[in-house]
Amino acid sequence: MENQDVEYAVDAEEGQLVISDSDGHIPDDERYYILPEWGPSDGFELREDFVNNLHSPLAREELQSAMHSGRGVFKNFRNVLKSYPEVDKRWHIYKHRFMSARINEWYNSLREIWGLEKLDQLPESDESLVHDDFSFKEYDSAADRKTILLNITAGACEDESLPPEVNEAFYGLWKASFEGASEKKQTGYICFSLSDEFAGCITTSPLLQNQEKINVITSLFVPEQFRGLGIGTELIEMCITSLQNCGKKWVLVPNLFAPDILQPLLTRTGFRKIYSGYLLSLGE
């Protein structure tokens, strides 16, 4: 549909695509059905919807600038995506699904005219998408402790909507929690991009010596450039599964406050607000 140079139609008898002749004509026959129209305005709207629903702050800001850059919008859009390969992959999946749904809707309208049953369009699963672009491994204190501490410290300057001292206080709490946990008992997962960049972590530790069934999250962090790609959700779900297998009953986030970027992730993965923190029951 995106090809503006030629016109395509479906040959209903053969079930194949046919291309218009050199004059841009399709045979005038009831067996040929021209594909839905698709113009630059449709492409712009599709990109705009993708950007508006993108949760990766840095990529979203640059893509929004590209969308309002005047001439060469689509080219500028592609150029920005080159700097964010994970977001680029999401864009192509998003676009493919949208276009497939549009074609499916159009074809079902024809089948209805022909007196045939509509075809179901099964949603494509993207559960493994994050594992295609990132590697996850169990936290190893000897190998990963320094990496996590460095990235928690670097994160203290990220949120420009808050005063620097507030950012530092929040990440100081994470750092103190992480450093104060027993190295031997602290478990979790760490994530890296395919280019070996740190892309996130989660660690937990038993809360108290006499309360081994309750684990506290001692670090949960995804760098800003990797947010919105499902890494945080995957880290939490992997951690929850591991704790359940170890017989744990509760997971606690005891921090005095959680920033806006963290709260939806916690509630989406089953945590509930309790006092000044968040709590998750791992069931029986």
Side-chain angles (χ1 to χ4, degrees), residues 54-88:
L54 184 63
H55 300 296
S56 183
L58 293 178
R60 184 177 64 242
E61 182 177 349
E62 290 189 39
L63 288 170
Q64 284 175 337
S65 296
M67 293 295 292
H68 298 90
S69 58
R71 299 179 62 182
V73 167
F74 291 177
K75 180 180 179 180
N76 295 336
F77 188 88
R78 288 195 303 271
N79 288 337
V80 171
L81 288 177
K82 290 177 182 178
S83 302
Y84 300 94
E86 294 83 9
V87 176
D88 186 34

Side-chain angles (χ1 to χ4, degrees), residues 1-4 7-8 34-43 98-99 102-103 106:
M1 293 193 304
E2 287 187 290
N3 191 330
Q4 307 296 310
E7 194 169 43
Y8 290 91
I34 298 174
L35 292 181
E37 291 185 4
W38 183 270
S41 61
D42 297 296
F98 181 90
M99 301 292 271
R102 174 71 69 89
I103 289 292
W106 167 78

Side-chain angles (χ1 to χ4, degrees), residues 92-197:
H92 286 291
I93 291 172
Y94 181 86
K95 176 182 172 183
H96 171 74
R97 290 180 177 175
F98 181 90
M99 301 292 271
S100 297
R102 174 71 69 89
I103 289 292
N104 187 74
E105 182 181 3
W106 167 78
Y107 186 59
N108 273 334
S109 68
L110 293 180
R111 290 181 65 87
E112 192 172 15
I113 294 173
W114 299 333
L116 301 175
E117 276 190 39
K118 292 184 177 181
L119 299 177
D120 291 330
Q121 184 177 28
L122 297 176
E124 299 176 52
S125 172
D126 61 354
E127 292 181 359
S128 64
L129 177 62
V130 70
H131 284 274
D132 291 338
D133 295 329
F134 299 92
S135 61
F136 294 80
K137 72 180 187 72
E138 289 190 29
Y139 168 70
D140 179 343
S141 176
D144 303 322
R145 183 177 176 82
K146 185 176 180 180
T147 298
I148 290 179
L149 284 171
L150 285 173
N151 281 279
I152 290 177
T153 302
C157 302
E158 281 192 347
D159 193 341
E160 296 180 357
S161 67
L162 294 174
E165 60 269 24
V166 175
N167 272 318
E168 291 175 11
F170 170 70
Y171 285 99
L173 288 172
W174 273 129
K175 185 177 180 181
S177 177
F178 178 74
E179 288 185 307
S182 167
E183 288 191 39
K184 293 182 179 180
K185 293 185 177 182
Q186 195 160 215
T187 61
Y189 292 89
I190 190 166
C191 175
F192 293 93
S193 72
L194 297 184
S195 57
D196 209 32
E197 291 181 86

